[in-house]
Amino acid sequence: MQLVAWYKNNARRLPWRDDPAPYKTWISEIMLQQTKVDTVIPYFKRFMDELPDVDSLASVDQDRLFKLWEGLGYYTRCKNLKKAAQIVMQRYGGELPDDYASLLSLPGIGPYTAGAVASISFGLPTPAIDGNVLRVISRRYGIKENIGKIAVKRKIESLVLDMMPKNEPGTFNQSLMELGAQVCIPNGKPLCQACPWESSCISYKNGWIDEIPYKDKKKPRRTEAKTILVVVSNNLVAIQQRIEGGLLSGMWEFPNTEGKMEDGQVQEWGGKNSLHTVSVVPMGEAKHLFSHVEWHMIGYLVEVNDPVHVPGWQWATLEDLEHRFALPSALDHYKSMILK
């Protein structure tokens, strides 16, 4: 098949492709959600070195799991990985099930990931429809319908299944993903002259490339103002754990408050928490974008005499902060300033 031949000649060499074992395919596909390939590669290698199989993942301490994941974001993904691994240990003897329905039943595995694992690792003829595939197929067939609609996704899934060679379903799915990542790209002008489907692409023939795929405009993110309080005492820094459920569930963070505080307000805040403040030094402003919200932050380095007990806080060493506790990348600006 033309597309598969193109893939075999042009595919990037990626660590999870070298050995498409079910566990490796699963971990890589979860990591690649909302994350670029170049970013994922070192994380994948480190993850495999420390957690090489389902058993090790099922039993890993959550703080260690978060630390391995630190910087990838969307931490619900790695929490679901552990939950799914525990189920695989209990129900399937530590081996991922080799059928689509069972894969789909595991926490954190949706239709795309189930289809990818089933086809790539088990050779089952199941589509794996992600954003790349939706874009490639809608352009290839000139589909001017909203790709966010369930009916349109099913239409594209049916087209993929009809095209899929039964002897190489995994290779075909990966060829679609690769075409979308390397040629029929999401941002910027697609490299149509490098596409194996250039002569048969309806959108290319009709000049519709800029119009397709069609999807609803994203709702604007809401903004939240926050004051980040990096409280230090000698070599210790105060951290607290976010509640389970909601944004950054269970993650460690610096103490913080809603709204932007002035220096004097920080002094008052310290007094209310029985802190004997030595100094308050501004750490500047920072912004971080989540999928539905953006944080506009201002930070202060608050030096105190003693690491007093404050409910919900834990005093960590700077070494712990660097090697043990995972903090969300939203706080990287402030974390980097005290780890210099």
Side-chain angles (χ1 to χ4, degrees):
M1 185 179 185
Q2 191 178 22
L3 180 61
V4 171
W6 170 86
Y7 172 76
K8 290 178 178 179
N9 289 324
N10 293 277
R12 291 166 292 177
R13 185 80 179 269
L14 301 173
W16 47 88
R17 286 179 179 166
D18 292 340
D19 176 15
Y23 179 71
K24 292 182 178 181
T25 301
W26 172 39
I27 300 300
S28 68
E29 291 297 345
I30 298 298
M31 285 186 170
L32 286 164
Q33 293 172 10
Q34 309 289 332
T35 311
K36 293 180 180 178
V37 167
D38 290 344
T39 301
V40 165
I41 290 173
Y43 280 92
F44 177 81
K45 291 179 177 178
R46 186 163 58 245
F47 198 96
M48 285 298 144
D49 286 343
E50 188 155 341
L51 305 175
D53 50 33
V54 174
D55 189 12
S56 57
L57 174 56
S59 58
V60 68
D61 177 77
Q62 178 170 289
D63 281 334
R64 185 57 194 157
L65 180 60
F66 277 4
K67 195 64 183 177
L68 288 170
W69 201 267
E70 187 177 31
L72 280 177
Y74 302 94
Y75 283 82
T76 299
R77 293 183 294 171
C78 69
K79 293 175 77 172
N80 281 331
L81 278 175
K82 182 175 178 177
K83 289 178 185 176
Q86 291 172 333
I87 292 171
V88 171
M89 290 301 299
Q90 294 164 5
R91 294 183 189 171
Y92 305 106
E95 300 292 336
L96 282 166
D98 60 358
D99 68 281
Y100 177 84
S102 297
L103 288 166
L104 190 59
S105 72
L106 296 171
I109 294 187
Y112 165 73
T113 303
V117 175
S119 62
I120 295 169
S121 297
F122 295 117
L124 301 177
T126 52
I129 309 297
D130 68 350
N132 280 328
V133 176
L134 289 172
R135 180 173 60 261
V136 167
I137 298 299
S138 61
R139 282 177 172 169
R140 165 70 177 78
Y141 287 95
I143 298 171
K144 288 189 171 184
E145 300 166 87
N146 187 346
I147 61 170
K149 302 292 185 182
I150 297 293
V152 179
K153 288 182 178 179
R154 286 177 178 164
K155 177 180 180 179
I156 290 174
E157 184 177 288
S158 179
L159 288 169
V160 169
L161 192 56
D162 287 344
M163 300 165 64
M164 181 179 290
K166 299 302 183 280
N167 61 327
E168 291 186 292
T171 304
F172 178 73
N173 279 338
Q174 290 184 93
S175 70
L176 285 174
M177 300 172 200
E178 191 76 354
L179 191 67
Q182 297 289 89
V183 176
C184 200
I185 54 179
N187 300 306
K189 191 173 181 61
L191 310 175
C192 295
Q193 292 181 347
C195 180
W197 282 347
E198 179 188 12
S199 62
S200 57
C201 177
I202 293 175
S203 294
Y204 179 73
K205 284 182 178 179
N206 291 285
W208 297 344
I209 292 294
D210 293 335
E211 302 172 37
I212 297 176
Y214 172 75
K215 51 188 173 181
D216 289 333
K217 291 183 180 179
K218 290 183 179 180
K219 294 180 180 179
R221 296 184 184 93
R222 72 177 189 278
T223 60
E224 294 181 358
K226 287 186 174 292
T227 299
I228 309 301
L229 300 150
V230 184
V231 184
V232 297
S233 178
N234 296 319
N235 193 43
L236 298 176
V237 59
I239 57 175
Q240 63 188 21
Q241 195 165 26
R242 293 178 69 88
I243 61 172
E244 293 292 333
L247 185 65
L248 302 175
S249 168
M251 293 284 296
W252 291 96
E253 63 179 357
F254 298 122
N256 57 83
T257 66
E258 299 296 325
K260 291 190 175 181
M261 298 166 63
E262 303 289 341
D263 298 36
Q265 293 173 300
V266 175
Q267 292 276 4
E268 292 177 13
W269 172 86
K272 290 177 182 177
N273 285 284
S274 302
L275 301 174
H276 301 291
T277 304
V278 175
S279 63
V280 174
V281 179
M283 299 179 78
E285 298 190 354
K287 183 169 73 172
H288 188 80
L289 305 181
F290 298 96
S291 56
H292 301 297
V293 63
E294 58 184 76
W295 284 0
H296 292 198
M297 298 169 283
I298 188 168
Y300 294 93
L301 182 66
V302 184
E303 184 181 358
V304 300
N305 274 331
D306 301 300
V308 299
H309 172 71
V310 176
W313 285 15
Q314 178 163 328
W315 291 91
T317 66
L318 296 181
E319 185 176 353
D320 283 339
L321 201 63
E322 191 165 10
H323 300 291
R324 179 183 170 194
F325 295 109
L327 272 65
S329 56
L331 302 178
D332 280 354
H333 172 76
Y334 304 108
K335 177 182 172 182
S336 65
M337 291 180 74
I338 62 171
L339 290 180
K340 286 180 180 178

